């Protein structure tokens, strides 16, 4: 974590990972998620990305060997209303859960 300065108070960033049980669930979640998709490079909008597919597309075997599964979705929070973001996440999780219940 960066050290504190007069202009900056350290804290944890708004990035987290969701790991689904299957690629199909992760795909349905992402397809249903009404947020922007793409890598996070400090954007002020919430972004979701299929991490392994995006970063390790040509090295999936290497990634799997190091514990990175294709079922990982990473989300970096932006400055939108937190309740709106939570509702988008809830809705997409429900969609992914419906697929899981059919398996």
């Amino acid at each position: 974590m960066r050290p504190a300065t007069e202009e900056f108070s350290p804290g944890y960033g708004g990035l987290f990972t969701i790991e689904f049980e299957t690629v199909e669930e992760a795909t349905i979640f992402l397809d249903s998620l009404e947020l922007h998709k793409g890598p996070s490079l400090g954007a002020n909008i919430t972004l979701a990305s299929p991490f392994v597919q995006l970063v390790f597309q040509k090295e999936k075997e290497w990634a799997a060997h190091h514990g990175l599964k294709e079922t990982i979705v990473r989300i970096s929070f932006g400055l939108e209303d937190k309740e709106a973001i939570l509702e988008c996440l809830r809705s997409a999780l429900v969609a992914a859960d419906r697929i899981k219940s059919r398996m």
Side-chain angles (χ1 to χ4, degrees), residues 1-17:
M1 209 179 321
R2 283 178 39 194
T5 66
E6 284 185 32
E7 299 85 28
F8 174 75
S9 297
Y12 294 99
L15 174 69
F16 74 98
T17 299

Side-chain angles (χ1 to χ4, degrees), residues 29-79:
F29 173 81
L30 267 172
D31 288 349
S32 302
L33 189 62
E34 294 185 21
L35 294 171
H36 297 281
K37 311 303 190 299
S40 174
L41 301 173
N44 64 347
I45 57 172
T46 299
L47 293 167
S49 66
F51 185 68
V52 171
Q53 282 83 344
L54 184 67
V55 178
F56 298 107
Q57 184 178 23
K58 295 181 180 181
E59 300 168 320
K60 288 182 183 179
E61 206 172 292
W62 179 91
H65 179 74
H66 289 85
L68 298 170
K69 300 177 183 176
E70 289 186 63
T71 57
I72 291 174
V73 175
R74 286 196 130 177
I75 299 174
S76 174
F77 284 104
L79 301 175

